Amino acid sequence: MRPILRETRRIIIDLDHELFLDPELEILDKIREEEEKRNIRKVRALSEFSAMYRSNIYEIIKNFIIKFRNKISTIEIKDFIIEHLKESIEALKILQQITNPDQKNFQNTYLYRLVKFIEEIVFPRGFNLQTIYKKLLDKSKDYYECQRHILLTHTFYRDKLKNPDYFIIPSVSPKVYQIINNITSLYNLDPNYGDFPEKTNYEIPMLLTNDVFEPYIDSIANAEEEAVKSIAERIGLRIIDEIFLAPQESFVDILLANNFLREDIQKDGKTRYIPQFSNETLLLYYLAIASIRRGFLSKELVNWISMNFALLIYMGILKWKLSDDNIFYSIFKDLQTNEKILPNLMKLSCFPNYLGMDKMKIRDSVQYRKEIFNFIGSQIDNLKDLINEIALFCEKINKEKK
Amino acid sequence: MSILESKWEELLEAFSEGLEEAIVELKNKNVENIPGARDALLDRLDILRTQFPRNDGELLKRAIDNTIQNAFFPNTSNLAVAFSKILKSRTHEQDFIINELLNGFITSKAKAIASYAQGPIIDRIVEAFANRNDFHIVDHQFYAMFGDPNNPRSYIKKQLQELINLFGLVSKEHIVDRDKRTSEKKVYTFYTFPPGILAILQEKYIIIDKTDNEENRNEIGEDGGEIELGISINKKSEKNNLVYAHISEAFDRNVFISLFLANLAINRKDLEKIGGSFTINGISAIFALILLLSFMPKLTVRVNHPILKDPSFDNDNMSIIPKSWMMRQILESLFEPLIKIVAFRLGGGRWLNNIIDTDINKKIHNQIRFLLKDVNKWILGNLCRVEIPIFVEIANIFTEVTLGLDRDEDT
């Protein structure tokens, strides 16, 4: 992409702006035809992409000239085009040099810095769950919707359904999301209390498993029991006496540390932990578990999370480098461009020093590349806020580099 | 008295009985952790019980017909009008309601209005529209999003057709004499929204760029004009009246979901078309929940209450809901009659007959209370109502009706 933009910029700089007044702008068609003849690429797909890309650039320039030549002077139009081309070239330059192929000094690359910046907000690392949970909670005030978004996939990858591996962490389906919300509500509203197995004289809140799962499951048999157990485990809960759903010992500590449980001394001298959960209490635990066990995420979740990172990085750089009215923005956001750039960024961001997820799970067949479009179409406002934040951070990195 | 009138009276009576049962339950059990919360709720339920049946249930009629329907399920046969009203009611939080109406309440007992796979397809359509500058999607482009565009699988074609019908998109064929790839004749079908819908979208969601040098420019929605197809071949032949349409930042999947909902609203009499009993039960239940949430009193807590210090609590825009309201025993007696009232107002006797009041459904009713989870927030164990426009409007009707009736009594 970058050479084509550079060529175009050179051509426009040399072009007499008076030619922009030609009603049919034939000069641009001629230049394009000439440029197409120079195409010596041998790989068909690449040459098709270049042709499409070049044709889009000239089409955009032509439309821009037609639209504005009666309103502003042609010399100004020329300046605008050159400026927008310059911005686009710079954005591509950053993308091209986003990392070092030899991994030398990788800590100073844009890719590393940006992955770490986003990671800290939506998928932080830490030496234990408590640290990760705390980090997530600290950022949840501004970015809870982003944190939730990276768990709720909109993509579908074919996985083997026979003999599911319960150790693998899947994404949160709409049903599981609803179950998590119901558990939160039931804990806040009407919990039962039972002895805390690991601490005498303490009581923890409990729910009847049936109250939670009955509306979703006709009858609970072995397979359902396993599924219920693994869902519970991912949100910090466990099954006690086969019928109750209660927080795990380690989760109780996290809940206490973050004021999601308060102590209440009963008449019999026992201390009861009263739940005071928020919407994010359980979901952030799920995210923290996913983060600490990032080597065991389902293919769907690995692809989804890396897609989020790739798009945030890509859009952040565009936001930083391109002005909002850049006429070439649509090319960068074109599906064909996305389809080419994002899968590479996804794989790069999965490397051990970056996100550290299993990059072999990134599916890169033609069919699965199309899943990217679900993701892009499902964007939420909160992601746009994060993109703005990333653009500001890019500027900061740039200043540090200078 | 007509059958409809007597049915309405019957429904009001059932709701009144439900309120009485709720009051009894509430008096027997105190789960509140905020002083005065139970009394405030008791007062509110008592006012409801005495005031709502008056003037032939004016309070419920106005709340459902003028407010809820207007915002989310307009009672009209005109798609453009319905769509426009739903779009106008969009806010960040009310978008969650619109989404919830699409998904219904997901249980194993029933399927959602939109199947699990349709959500992502909507995402792709948003992207497809976003990436063209003429506000059209092309069949070829749609197929490309799912595989080989030149050899689409039959289910993809079927899905596209379903979506076209669902959103009422209009089509236009463009024939290319010699396709560059195969050198054969090829037909591309372009789809876009009907002119009435485009005119509405133009207000906020589409940015129109017109070429400047031509006299015979078309404008969308006016005099049957339309956005010109934007493929290059077409531009060569029709470039004299090009109009470019870019989607704005505000254009997202909820625009489609609103259109989906508008389609359901105008086809409410065709039960088969809108998904039958499940849709009716789902929509009525969510609206019943909106009504109940709106009727809840605002609680005042002491100045040093921890919830006021919580960073996620916004005192200007949120209020705490008494815990007792969420008690199963309270809601069970209120939900069923209220769901029936909503169904009756929305779709008359036909909708009412489709409300399932079996024990299985009661189990589902218990889940309804946990819906709208993204609208309201749990903060320190208390459910906080975010004062979104729909709640405020209904609460205002409540105040207006009760005050008006008090005044009538005084005179």
Side-chain angles (χ1 to χ4, degrees), chain A residues 86-109:
Chain A
K86 191 180 157 215
E87 285 176 0
S88 309
I89 293 165
E90 277 175 11
L92 286 169
K93 191 178 165 194
I94 297 289
L95 284 166
Q96 203 176 18
Q97 298 168 355
I98 197 163
T99 186
N100 297 333
D102 59 359
Q103 291 291 293
K104 201 178 160 191
N105 245 344
F106 69 88
Q107 289 94 337
N108 289 332
T109 59

PDB file of all heavy atoms in Angstrom, chain A residues 86-109:
ATOM      1  N   LYS A  86       0.237  12.280   2.677  1.00  0.00           N
ATOM      2  CA  LYS A  86       1.377  12.262   3.601  1.00  0.00           C
ATOM      3  C   LYS A  86       0.981  11.568   4.917  1.00  0.00           C
ATOM      4  O   LYS A  86       1.708  10.712   5.419  1.00  0.00           O
ATOM      5  CB  LYS A  86       1.829  13.703   3.863  1.00  0.00           C
ATOM      6  CG  LYS A  86       3.138  13.794   4.584  1.00  0.00           C
ATOM      7  CD  LYS A  86       3.517  15.249   4.814  1.00  0.00           C
ATOM      8  CE  LYS A  86       4.477  15.314   5.982  1.00  0.00           C
ATOM      9  NZ  LYS A  86       4.304  16.500   6.789  1.00  0.00           N
ATOM     10  N   GLU A  87      -0.187  11.953   5.423  1.00  0.00           N
ATOM     11  CA  GLU A  87      -0.668  11.335   6.673  1.00  0.00           C
ATOM     12  C   GLU A  87      -0.806   9.821   6.500  1.00  0.00           C
ATOM     13  O   GLU A  87      -0.394   9.043   7.369  1.00  0.00           O
ATOM     14  CB  GLU A  87      -2.054  11.894   7.040  1.00  0.00           C
ATOM     15  CG  GLU A  87      -2.040  13.293   7.605  1.00  0.00           C
ATOM     16  CD  GLU A  87      -3.465  13.803   7.855  1.00  0.00           C
ATOM     17  OE1 GLU A  87      -4.440  13.080   7.593  1.00  0.00           O
ATOM     18  OE2 GLU A  87      -3.592  14.948   8.295  1.00  0.00           O
ATOM     19  N   SER A  88      -1.370   9.432   5.366  1.00  0.00           N
ATOM     20  CA  SER A  88      -1.597   8.002   5.135  1.00  0.00           C
ATOM     21  C   SER A  88      -0.271   7.256   5.037  1.00  0.00           C
ATOM     22  O   SER A  88      -0.127   6.145   5.562  1.00  0.00           O
ATOM     23  CB  SER A  88      -2.385   7.782   3.842  1.00  0.00           C
ATOM     24  OG  SER A  88      -3.532   8.579   3.849  1.00  0.00           O
ATOM     25  N   ILE A  89       0.697   7.868   4.379  1.00  0.00           N
ATOM     26  CA  ILE A  89       2.017   7.225   4.257  1.00  0.00           C
ATOM     27  C   ILE A  89       2.646   7.065   5.635  1.00  0.00           C
ATOM     28  O   ILE A  89       3.215   6.028   5.970  1.00  0.00           O
ATOM     29  CB  ILE A  89       2.930   8.045   3.311  1.00  0.00           C
ATOM     30  CG1 ILE A  89       2.367   7.985   1.892  1.00  0.00           C
ATOM     31  CG2 ILE A  89       4.367   7.533   3.342  1.00  0.00           C
ATOM     32  CD1 ILE A  89       2.943   9.011   0.930  1.00  0.00           C
ATOM     33  N   GLU A  90       2.489   8.108   6.453  1.00  0.00           N
ATOM     34  CA  GLU A  90       3.063   8.035   7.810  1.00  0.00           C
ATOM     35  C   GLU A  90       2.406   6.927   8.632  1.00  0.00           C
ATOM     36  O   GLU A  90       3.074   6.200   9.362  1.00  0.00           O
ATOM     37  CB  GLU A  90       2.893   9.377   8.515  1.00  0.00           C
ATOM     38  CG  GLU A  90       3.981  10.356   8.133  1.00  0.00           C
ATOM     39  CD  GLU A  90       3.761  11.730   8.738  1.00  0.00           C
ATOM     40  OE1 GLU A  90       2.894  11.875   9.621  1.00  0.00           O
ATOM     41  OE2 GLU A  90       4.444  12.661   8.297  1.00  0.00           O
ATOM     42  N   ALA A  91       1.076   6.829   8.496  1.00  0.00           N
ATOM     43  CA  ALA A  91       0.370   5.774   9.245  1.00  0.00           C
ATOM     44  C   ALA A  91       0.877   4.408   8.805  1.00  0.00           C
ATOM     45  O   ALA A  91       1.133   3.524   9.635  1.00  0.00           O
ATOM     46  CB  ALA A  91      -1.138   5.883   9.009  1.00  0.00           C
ATOM     47  N   LEU A  92       1.055   4.253   7.508  1.00  0.00           N
ATOM     48  CA  LEU A  92       1.535   2.961   7.006  1.00  0.00           C
ATOM     49  C   LEU A  92       2.979   2.694   7.424  1.00  0.00           C
ATOM     50  O   LEU A  92       3.358   1.546   7.670  1.00  0.00           O
ATOM     51  CB  LEU A  92       1.407   2.918   5.481  1.00  0.00           C
ATOM     52  CG  LEU A  92      -0.031   2.755   4.978  1.00  0.00           C
ATOM     53  CD1 LEU A  92      -0.109   2.987   3.490  1.00  0.00           C
ATOM     54  CD2 LEU A  92      -0.566   1.360   5.314  1.00  0.00           C
ATOM     55  N   LYS A  93       3.737   3.778   7.530  1.00  0.00           N
ATOM     56  CA  LYS A  93       5.127   3.623   7.963  1.00  0.00           C
ATOM     57  C   LYS A  93       5.160   3.075   9.398  1.00  0.00           C
ATOM     58  O   LYS A  93       5.933   2.170   9.710  1.00  0.00           O
ATOM     59  CB  LYS A  93       5.830   4.978   7.873  1.00  0.00           C
ATOM     60  CG  LYS A  93       7.321   4.892   8.044  1.00  0.00           C
ATOM     61  CD  LYS A  93       7.931   6.270   7.903  1.00  0.00           C
ATOM     62  CE  LYS A  93       9.342   6.268   8.433  1.00  0.00           C
ATOM     63  NZ  LYS A  93       9.851   7.621   8.629  1.00  0.00           N
ATOM     64  N   ILE A  94       4.308   3.642  10.231  1.00  0.00           N
ATOM     65  CA  ILE A  94       4.248   3.158  11.621  1.00  0.00           C
ATOM     66  C   ILE A  94       3.839   1.685  11.626  1.00  0.00           C
ATOM     67  O   ILE A  94       4.425   0.859  12.333  1.00  0.00           O
ATOM     68  CB  ILE A  94       3.223   3.986  12.445  1.00  0.00           C
ATOM     69  CG1 ILE A  94       3.633   5.457  12.542  1.00  0.00           C
ATOM     70  CG2 ILE A  94       3.013   3.391  13.837  1.00  0.00           C
ATOM     71  CD1 ILE A  94       4.825   5.731  13.421  1.00  0.00           C
ATOM     72  N   LEU A  95       2.827   1.356  10.820  1.00  0.00           N
ATOM     73  CA  LEU A  95       2.352  -0.028  10.795  1.00  0.00           C
ATOM     74  C   LEU A  95       3.440  -0.977  10.276  1.00  0.00           C
ATOM     75  O   LEU A  95       3.584  -2.099  10.761  1.00  0.00           O
ATOM     76  CB  LEU A  95       1.101  -0.145   9.922  1.00  0.00           C
ATOM     77  CG  LEU A  95      -0.183   0.391  10.564  1.00  0.00           C
ATOM     78  CD1 LEU A  95      -1.284   0.551   9.526  1.00  0.00           C
ATOM     79  CD2 LEU A  95      -0.669  -0.542  11.672  1.00  0.00           C
ATOM     80  N   GLN A  96       4.182  -0.477   9.310  1.00  0.00           N
ATOM     81  CA  GLN A  96       5.238  -1.313   8.732  1.00  0.00           C
ATOM     82  C   GLN A  96       6.358  -1.580   9.747  1.00  0.00           C
ATOM     83  O   GLN A  96       6.940  -2.649   9.780  1.00  0.00           O
ATOM     84  CB  GLN A  96       5.810  -0.589   7.522  1.00  0.00           C
ATOM     85  CG  GLN A  96       6.480  -1.500   6.536  1.00  0.00           C
ATOM     86  CD  GLN A  96       6.931  -0.727   5.311  1.00  0.00           C
ATOM     87  OE1 GLN A  96       7.037   0.505   5.331  1.00  0.00           O
ATOM     88  NE2 GLN A  96       7.190  -1.434   4.237  1.00  0.00           N
ATOM     89  N   GLN A  97       6.606  -0.548  10.565  1.00  0.00           N
ATOM     90  CA  GLN A  97       7.706  -0.698  11.532  1.00  0.00           C
ATOM     91  C   GLN A  97       7.191  -0.952  12.940  1.00  0.00           C
ATOM     92  O   GLN A  97       7.827  -0.600  13.916  1.00  0.00           O
ATOM     93  CB  GLN A  97       8.546   0.582  11.531  1.00  0.00           C
ATOM     94  CG  GLN A  97       9.170   0.857  10.193  1.00  0.00           C
ATOM     95  CD  GLN A  97       9.758   2.248  10.105  1.00  0.00           C
ATOM     96  OE1 GLN A  97       9.618   3.057  11.021  1.00  0.00           O
ATOM     97  NE2 GLN A  97      10.405   2.543   8.990  1.00  0.00           N
ATOM     98  N   ILE A  98       6.026  -1.559  12.998  1.00  0.00           N
ATOM     99  CA  ILE A  98       5.381  -1.706  14.313  1.00  0.00           C
ATOM    100  C   ILE A  98       6.194  -2.610  15.241  1.00  0.00           C
ATOM    101  O   ILE A  98       6.137  -2.509  16.449  1.00  0.00           O
ATOM    102  CB  ILE A  98       3.925  -2.183  14.129  1.00  0.00           C
ATOM    103  CG1 ILE A  98       3.132  -1.946  15.401  1.00  0.00           C
ATOM    104  CG2 ILE A  98       3.830  -3.628  13.674  1.00  0.00           C
ATOM    105  CD1 ILE A  98       1.648  -1.988  15.220  1.00  0.00           C
ATOM    106  N   THR A  99       6.963  -3.513  14.639  1.00  0.00           N
ATOM    107  CA  THR A  99       7.820  -4.357  15.473  1.00  0.00           C
ATOM    108  C   THR A  99       9.127  -4.651  14.739  1.00  0.00           C
ATOM    109  O   THR A  99       9.228  -4.400  13.544  1.00  0.00           O
ATOM    110  CB  THR A  99       7.093  -5.668  15.859  1.00  0.00           C
ATOM    111  OG1 THR A  99       7.898  -6.374  16.777  1.00  0.00           O
ATOM    112  CG2 THR A  99       6.792  -6.537  14.648  1.00  0.00           C
ATOM    113  N   ASN A 100      10.101  -5.174  15.478  1.00  0.00           N
ATOM    114  CA  ASN A 100      11.371  -5.542  14.842  1.00  0.00           C
ATOM    115  C   ASN A 100      11.341  -7.017  14.488  1.00  0.00           C
ATOM    116  O   ASN A 100      11.112  -7.836  15.369  1.00  0.00           O
ATOM    117  CB  ASN A 100      12.543  -5.336  15.810  1.00  0.00           C
ATOM    118  CG  ASN A 100      12.696  -3.893  16.186  1.00  0.00           C
ATOM    119  OD1 ASN A 100      12.317  -3.015  15.420  1.00  0.00           O
ATOM    120  ND2 ASN A 100      13.241  -3.655  17.364  1.00  0.00           N
ATOM    121  N   PRO A 101      11.600  -7.338  13.248  1.00  0.00           N
ATOM    122  CA  PRO A 101      11.553  -8.760  12.891  1.00  0.00           C
ATOM    123  C   PRO A 101      12.517  -9.595  13.728  1.00  0.00           C
ATOM    124  O   PRO A 101      12.235 -10.734  14.060  1.00  0.00           O
ATOM    125  CB  PRO A 101      11.953  -8.781  11.419  1.00  0.00           C
ATOM    126  CG  PRO A 101      11.760  -7.387  10.923  1.00  0.00           C
ATOM    127  CD  PRO A 101      11.918  -6.482  12.087  1.00  0.00           C
ATOM    128  N   ASP A 102      13.652  -9.009  14.124  1.00  0.00           N
ATOM    129  CA  ASP A 102      14.627  -9.807  14.892  1.00  0.00           C
ATOM    130  C   ASP A 102      14.400  -9.699  16.403  1.00  0.00           C
ATOM    131  O   ASP A 102      15.202 -10.182  17.193  1.00  0.00           O
ATOM    132  CB  ASP A 102      16.050  -9.360  14.527  1.00  0.00           C
ATOM    133  CG  ASP A 102      16.273  -7.883  14.830  1.00  0.00           C
ATOM    134  OD1 ASP A 102      15.310  -7.235  15.294  1.00  0.00           O
ATOM    135  OD2 ASP A 102      17.379  -7.384  14.596  1.00  0.00           O
ATOM    136  N   GLN A 103      13.303  -9.056  16.783  1.00  0.00           N
ATOM    137  CA  GLN A 103      12.945  -8.921  18.207  1.00  0.00           C
ATOM    138  C   GLN A 103      13.982  -8.130  19.030  1.00  0.00           C
ATOM    139  O   GLN A 103      13.972  -8.191  20.249  1.00  0.00           O
ATOM    140  CB  GLN A 103      12.743 -10.292  18.862  1.00  0.00           C
ATOM    141  CG  GLN A 103      11.509 -11.027  18.374  1.00  0.00           C
ATOM    142  CD  GLN A 103      10.229 -10.370  18.829  1.00  0.00           C
ATOM    143  OE1 GLN A 103       9.895 -10.336  19.994  1.00  0.00           O
ATOM    144  NE2 GLN A 103       9.507  -9.776  17.885  1.00  0.00           N
ATOM    145  N   LYS A 104      14.848  -7.419  18.338  1.00  0.00           N
ATOM    146  CA  LYS A 104      15.848  -6.633  19.049  1.00  0.00           C
ATOM    147  C   LYS A 104      15.150  -5.403  19.647  1.00  0.00           C
ATOM    148  O   LYS A 104      14.374  -4.733  18.945  1.00  0.00           O
ATOM    149  CB  LYS A 104      16.923  -6.208  18.043  1.00  0.00           C
ATOM    150  CG  LYS A 104      18.235  -5.836  18.660  1.00  0.00           C
ATOM    151  CD  LYS A 104      19.201  -5.489  17.543  1.00  0.00           C
ATOM    152  CE  LYS A 104      20.341  -4.663  18.068  1.00  0.00           C
ATOM    153  NZ  LYS A 104      21.116  -4.109  16.982  1.00  0.00           N
ATOM    154  N   ASN A 105      15.434  -5.161  20.878  1.00  0.00           N
ATOM    155  CA  ASN A 105      14.838  -3.989  21.517  1.00  0.00           C
ATOM    156  C   ASN A 105      13.320  -3.946  21.396  1.00  0.00           C
ATOM    157  O   ASN A 105      12.726  -2.889  21.218  1.00  0.00           O
ATOM    158  CB  ASN A 105      15.379  -2.729  20.838  1.00  0.00           C
ATOM    159  CG  ASN A 105      16.210  -1.938  21.811  1.00  0.00           C
ATOM    160  OD1 ASN A 105      16.120  -2.184  23.028  1.00  0.00           O
ATOM    161  ND2 ASN A 105      16.993  -1.010  21.316  1.00  0.00           N
ATOM    162  N   PHE A 106      12.712  -5.119  21.498  1.00  0.00           N
ATOM    163  CA  PHE A 106      11.271  -5.170  21.226  1.00  0.00           C
ATOM    164  C   PHE A 106      10.443  -4.331  22.220  1.00  0.00           C
ATOM    165  O   PHE A 106       9.354  -3.893  21.909  1.00  0.00           O
ATOM    166  CB  PHE A 106      10.772  -6.622  21.188  1.00  0.00           C
ATOM    167  CG  PHE A 106      10.800  -7.310  22.522  1.00  0.00           C
ATOM    168  CD1 PHE A 106       9.725  -7.220  23.380  1.00  0.00           C
ATOM    169  CD2 PHE A 106      11.912  -8.040  22.932  1.00  0.00           C
ATOM    170  CE1 PHE A 106       9.744  -7.839  24.625  1.00  0.00           C
ATOM    171  CE2 PHE A 106      11.944  -8.658  24.169  1.00  0.00           C
ATOM    172  CZ  PHE A 106      10.856  -8.558  25.026  1.00  0.00           C
ATOM    173  N   GLN A 107      11.044  -4.080  23.404  1.00  0.00           N
ATOM    174  CA  GLN A 107      10.290  -3.307  24.404  1.00  0.00           C
ATOM    175  C   GLN A 107      10.010  -1.877  23.955  1.00  0.00           C
ATOM    176  O   GLN A 107       9.151  -1.217  24.513  1.00  0.00           O
ATOM    177  CB  GLN A 107      11.046  -3.238  25.743  1.00  0.00           C
ATOM    178  CG  GLN A 107      11.095  -4.540  26.511  1.00  0.00           C
ATOM    179  CD  GLN A 107      12.358  -5.309  26.200  1.00  0.00           C
ATOM    180  OE1 GLN A 107      12.984  -5.111  25.150  1.00  0.00           O
ATOM    181  NE2 GLN A 107      12.748  -6.210  27.100  1.00  0.00           N
ATOM    182  N   ASN A 108      10.766  -1.427  22.974  1.00  0.00           N
ATOM    183  CA  ASN A 108      10.558  -0.049  22.510  1.00  0.00           C
ATOM    184  C   ASN A 108       9.674   0.041  21.271  1.00  0.00           C
ATOM    185  O   ASN A 108       9.446   1.122  20.756  1.00  0.00           O
ATOM    186  CB  ASN A 108      11.910   0.602  22.178  1.00  0.00           C
ATOM    187  CG  ASN A 108      12.700   0.871  23.432  1.00  0.00           C
ATOM    188  OD1 ASN A 108      12.104   1.074  24.494  1.00  0.00           O
ATOM    189  ND2 ASN A 108      14.009   0.831  23.340  1.00  0.00           N
ATOM    190  N   THR A 109       9.216  -1.104  20.801  1.00  0.00           N
ATOM    191  CA  THR A 109       8.404  -1.045  19.570  1.00  0.00           C
ATOM    192  C   THR A 109       6.978  -0.593  19.892  1.00  0.00           C
ATOM    193  O   THR A 109       6.496  -0.753  21.015  1.00  0.00           O
ATOM    194  CB  THR A 109       8.337  -2.420  18.880  1.00  0.00           C
ATOM    195  OG1 THR A 109       7.756  -3.340  19.808  1.00  0.00           O
ATOM    196  CG2 THR A 109       9.709  -2.906  18.465  1.00  0.00           C
TER     197      THR A 109
END
